[in-house]
Amino acid sequence: MNKKVEQPSAENPEELLDLEVTEPKEWAAGIPAVYEAFKDIIHETGAIRGMSASLKMNQKGGFDCSSCAWPDPDDDRSPIAEYCENGAKALAEEATTKKLTGEFFALNSVADLAELNDYEIGKKGRIAQPVYLPAGATHYQVISWKDAFKKIANKLNSLASPDEAVFYTSGRTSNEASFMYQLFVREYGTNNMPDCSNMCHESSGTALSEVIGIGKGTVTLNDFYKTDVIIIMGQNPGTNHPRMLTALEKAKNNGAKIIAINPLHEAGLTAFKDPQKVKGFLGISTKLADLYLQVKINGDIALLKAIEKLLLEAEKETPGKVFDHDFIQKSTVGYNELIQHLEKQDVAQLAQQSGIPIEAIRETAEMLRNKQRIIICWAMGVTQHINGVDTIKEIVNLTLLKGAIGKPGAGLCPVRGHSNVQGNRTMLIWEKLKDASAKKLKEVFGFDPPKENGLDVVESIKAMHDGKLKVLFAMGGNFLSATPDTNYTANGIRKLDMTVHVSTKLNRSHLVHGKEALILPCYSRSDKDIINGVEQIVSCENSMGVIQLSKGVLKPISDQFLSETQIICRLAKETIGNRTKMDWAKYESNYDHVRDLIARVIPGCEDYNKKIRKPGGFYLPNGPREGKFKTEKYGDKAAFSVVEVPEEKLEADDYIMMSIRSHDQFNTTIYGLEDRYRGIHNERRVIFMNPKDIALGGFQSGEKVDLFNYGGGVARVARLFIIVPYNIPERNTATYYPETNVLVPIDSVAAGSNTPVSKRVIIKIRKHAE
């Protein structure tokens, strides 16, 4: 089908764009991905600059992609392109030759820039100089680095308490910068260090830490090549982690089966055309999912319980053949309680709650029955629910029953969405400092870190509203666009005395600001960072606990950039002054000195400078990967959990909305207006609906509608969306973020992790009010 529908743009409802809807794809990547990648690189950087950088991206001795956290192969890296389409677009964004100087900001007021949509804002170019927005001013103006640091330090030192400031971190921040950042913030006197993990895999860290003793995954990339079954839950690798497709194809070629569990039918879970192989170049695809279970939104616990109940019945038929009783007895607690709980479950009812036919669930159980080499992957479709922590515990239950952990080809794989978000946490970026880490910081650096927990993202936003915060300092990211309840968050930010953003490019958060605002431009991953004639390196951690070096290769387009580490050290020196225990000048002069500190504090990072210089880096310690567990509650055992199936109560005109990325974006960065896998072109304000819901609701395909949420008794609205029929369960809908973050209630959070619930938003759909 080809339809043209007029749709207003995101920020100006009177301006119409043409939405084109085509048939969704049944495969991902292929030659179109190569074309789109090269097109963006050449357009933004020029052929020589961009292509030379791309050959070094994700290569040993090169720079780490600033996009997703999927690991690089330990050995067989492609010499041509060890990156994906979205990685190439991320490179194009940061390696662009377009730059924003004082002249740009003099010509463009904050109000005028705020009228642009997020795509237009991001395409303006790199911020080339530090800029400052005085109280009451309409335009940012150039400021020297010296004066910028002085203004920020004066403001921080004028606060009644360090706890009146909050210091946010994005996953882009390197390990070196993260470590120095948390040192500065804690010596300054607060644990207010929310980070992007609060909004994505906090549920994973919370659940896994409790039941297996580590808040990370347990597999390596090589495990994918040795496994029998891969289960992919609430994740769309074709768009969000495209390099994962290569690993899935290799697993399939080695005989593995893949089970996809996702509400939307996604091309990247269906088939893959590898453009670096003759087969893929010729348009021949590899089938990925052997079973595709289109679960209802948040029907995952019911589905997992149904599978476990069927496996329990199979275990009774052939005792000792289905469950790994030797592992269960030696390494777990809580097995009997789980079995008693499963005995009470009704598979037919669970099937109805999950939205999956019993026959498909039986087929799934049969596929798992005689297998122990099982990997379960998941992402935001699991974590961003009220019961996200419980769902992950249920995932662990299935893994423990099968003994599918601590052995080759088996384990747990939370797939991180940003390239160093896991490294941030390893480097102690967290609002909750553990006693052992606090003790180590005092031992090494001679100051007492604050003892009370700081604020996470949601708590920080509420504190802004309550007047308890005066300053927001953001190390990267796009805080406003990433957070829930957009209008509520924006109103809180506007109450602040000062907002400071360390950034590479302009984004929405620079345009919704405190009374004063600063933007501090920093190097990107691909930029050379040379200090006193020495090229510096940094390091990052991927989803599977590998830390490796990253070294920029491009000449920066401005001589006004500083690295994140330099910014932190200079600000710390200006702020803490003679009170500091640290030689900040030393650590900004050479990052080897920073890594020497990391080696003294972070477990597994001994000889850090030596380890990261090894080709491919090194693996951090991971007990569960070796079958060793150490939990606070259960000692040297992993724990089964008894969790309940969440109840779903909807009013007659309610729908459940989940927010998703388009193929043309990474997190809040919008690369373009195309989502070709889903057949959406030239527009983002669409709502995917089941065709039956469209008819029953009295709507039509292509109709303009407004979306409402009334969580907590507050009316929230996202106006002007186009209805697009799609293969999605009834009463379930999907929209792109950040456009519909405005509908996510600030108080709708995951129990135990406080993660905003962006994948289960109750909405009402009304015909658009002209």
Side-chain angles (χ1 to χ4, degrees), residues 722-751:
I722 289 288
I723 291 177
V724 175
Y726 208 78
N727 186 357
I728 187 171
E730 293 177 44
R731 306 291 293 277
N732 290 183
T733 67
T735 59
Y736 300 130
Y737 71 84
E739 286 83 351
T740 52
N741 284 359
V742 67
L743 298 173
V744 182
I746 190 68
D747 290 319
S748 181
V749 294

Side-chain angles (χ1 to χ4, degrees), residues 18-34:
D18 287 332
L19 166 67
E20 182 181 355
V21 181
T22 58
E23 289 293 337
K25 299 291 186 185
E26 292 295 327
W27 49 268
I31 295 303
V34 177

Side-chain angles (χ1 to χ4, degrees), residues 69 157 285 303 386 404 457 533 609:
N157 287 327
S285 62
L303 174 59
I386 291 174
V457 165
N609 271 306

Side-chain angles (χ1 to χ4, degrees), residues 662-674:
S662 83
H663 188 63
D664 233 359
Q665 76 178 95
F666 178 74
N667 291 344
T668 59
T669 302
I670 312 301
Y671 299 136
L673 303 178
E674 299 292 306

Side-chain angles (χ1 to χ4, degrees), residues 32 40 51 169 233-234 277 299 389 661:
D40 269 38
M51 298 311 294
T169 313
M233 300 182 64
K277 295 180 180 176
V389 172
R661 294 185 204 171

Side-chain angles (χ1 to χ4, degrees), residues 358-376:
I358 291 180
E359 295 76 14
I361 300 175
R362 292 191 184 280
E363 189 176 355
T364 304
E366 190 60 32
M367 190 176 289
L368 299 175
R369 176 173 179 156
N370 298 315
K371 301 292 191 299
Q372 287 187 330
R373 297 191 302 176
I374 301 166
I375 294 173
I376 305 182

Side-chain angles (χ1 to χ4, degrees), residues 180-288:
M180 298 310 290
Y181 191 36
Q182 64 85 27
L183 271 183
F184 159 51
V185 173
R186 290 193 165 107
E187 190 177 25
Y188 170 66
T190 184
N191 279 323
N192 287 347
M193 281 185 285
D195 68 341
C196 56
S197 187
N198 293 155
M199 295 181 283
C200 57
H201 270 288
E202 198 69 56
S203 295
S204 299
T206 300
L208 295 177
S209 295
E210 181 181 338
V211 297
I212 66 169
I214 191 170
K216 303 178 182 182
T218 68
V219 298
T220 70
L221 189 55
N222 285 334
D223 285 320
F224 278 77
Y225 312 145
K226 302 172 184 176
T227 193
D228 293 317
V229 181
I230 301 169
I231 302 175
I232 305 172
M233 300 182 64
Q235 183 200 357
N236 176 19
T239 288
N240 300 341
H241 312 92
R243 287 201 298 151
M244 182 178 177
L245 299 179
T246 304
L248 295 179
E249 180 183 46
K250 189 170 180 178
K252 288 285 290 189
N253 291 339
N254 290 346
K257 300 291 185 181
I258 296 177
I259 302 169
I261 301 173
N262 199 60
L264 280 173
H265 191 83
E266 300 284 20
L269 290 168
T270 306
F272 171 49
K273 295 181 181 180
D274 186 345
Q276 295 195 52
K277 295 180 180 176
V278 173
K279 176 181 170 182
F281 189 83
L282 295 175
I284 302 170
S285 62
T286 297
K287 180 184 176 183
L288 295 179

Side-chain angles (χ1 to χ4, degrees), residues 408-677:
L412 300 161
C413 184
V415 184
R416 306 282 175 170
H418 210 162
S419 61
N420 199 41
V421 61
Q422 189 161 295
N424 296 163
R425 191 57 61 85
T426 299
M427 295 295 130
L428 306 182
I429 295 290
W430 198 21
E431 72 277 2
K432 302 171 184 175
L433 183 64
K434 291 185 177 181
D435 290 343
S437 298
K439 182 179 179 181
K440 195 69 176 178
L441 290 178
K442 181 178 181 180
E443 174 190 317
V444 173
F445 301 109
F447 69 87
D448 284 304
K451 294 180 173 57
E452 292 194 5
N453 288 345
L455 303 175
D456 64 20
V457 165
V458 170
E459 291 166 343
S460 295
I461 296 168
K462 291 181 176 181
M464 293 176 193
H465 265 272
D466 294 341
K468 296 177 181 178
L469 289 177
K470 305 297 182 184
V471 175
L472 165 65
F473 189 102
M475 184 59 66
N478 183 353
F479 186 84
L480 176 65
S481 294
T483 48
D485 220 336
T486 309
N487 291 336
Y488 179 89
T489 300
N491 290 336
I493 290 171
R494 291 187 180 107
K495 293 181 179 181
L496 296 170
D497 289 346
M498 177 179 282
T499 49
V500 184
H501 292 273
V502 178
S503 303
T504 56
K505 302 192 71 179
L506 198 65
N507 66 50
R508 179 74 57 191
S509 294
H510 304 141
L511 310 176
V512 177
H513 50 77
K515 296 179 180 68
E516 296 178 90
L518 294 100
I519 310 174
L520 308 181
C522 66
Y523 291 123
S524 69
R525 290 267 179 85
S526 56
D527 287 328
K528 288 183 178 180
D529 180 1
I530 302 175
I531 301 175
N532 299 325
V534 178
E535 287 192 31
Q536 301 297 310
I537 59 173
V538 295
S539 54
C540 301
E541 179 183 345
N542 64 37
S543 268
M544 295 178 187
V546 177
I547 294 181
Q548 62 183 3
L549 69 81
S550 178
K551 182 179 180 181
V553 298
L554 294 177
K555 180 180 178 181
I557 62 171
S558 170
D559 61 3
Q560 289 291 299
F561 294 154
L562 291 178
S563 73
E564 294 166 316
T565 301
Q566 288 175 307
I567 291 170
I568 293 160
C569 290
R570 293 186 190 184
L571 178 58
K573 188 165 52 175
E574 186 72 33
T575 304
I576 306 175
N578 294 331
R579 295 174 286 128
T580 188
K581 304 284 188 181
M582 304 284 296
D583 184 354
W584 296 102
K586 173 183 177 181
Y587 300 117
E588 73 161 284
S589 69
N590 191 310
Y591 309 155
D592 278 354
H593 299 314
V594 176
R595 287 184 283 273
D596 286 340
L597 298 181
I598 292 172
R600 296 174 65 188
V601 175
I602 306 300
C605 290
E606 302 80 8
D607 296 320
Y608 196 51
N609 271 306
K610 183 178 179 181
K611 285 180 178 178
I612 66 161
R613 285 177 165 87
K614 293 179 180 178
F618 68 98
Y619 282 89
L620 286 170
N622 190 309
R625 182 177 290 160
E626 301 170 2
K628 301 173 184 177
F629 306 98
K630 187 177 181 181
T631 61
E632 289 187 12
K633 289 184 180 180
Y634 311 108
D636 60 352
K637 306 286 187 181
F640 288 100
S641 307
V642 175
V643 305
E644 299 300 327
V645 177
E647 292 186 19
E648 197 63 83
K649 295 181 180 179
L650 298 177
E651 295 181 3
D653 59 346
D654 282 347
Y655 300 86
I656 303 174
M657 182 198 81
M658 65 177 187
S659 63
I660 58 176
R661 294 185 204 171
S662 83
H663 188 63
D664 233 359
Q665 76 178 95
F666 178 74
N667 291 344
T668 59
T669 302
I670 312 301
Y671 299 136
L673 303 178
E674 299 292 306
D675 191 3
R676 69 177 186 276
Y677 291 165

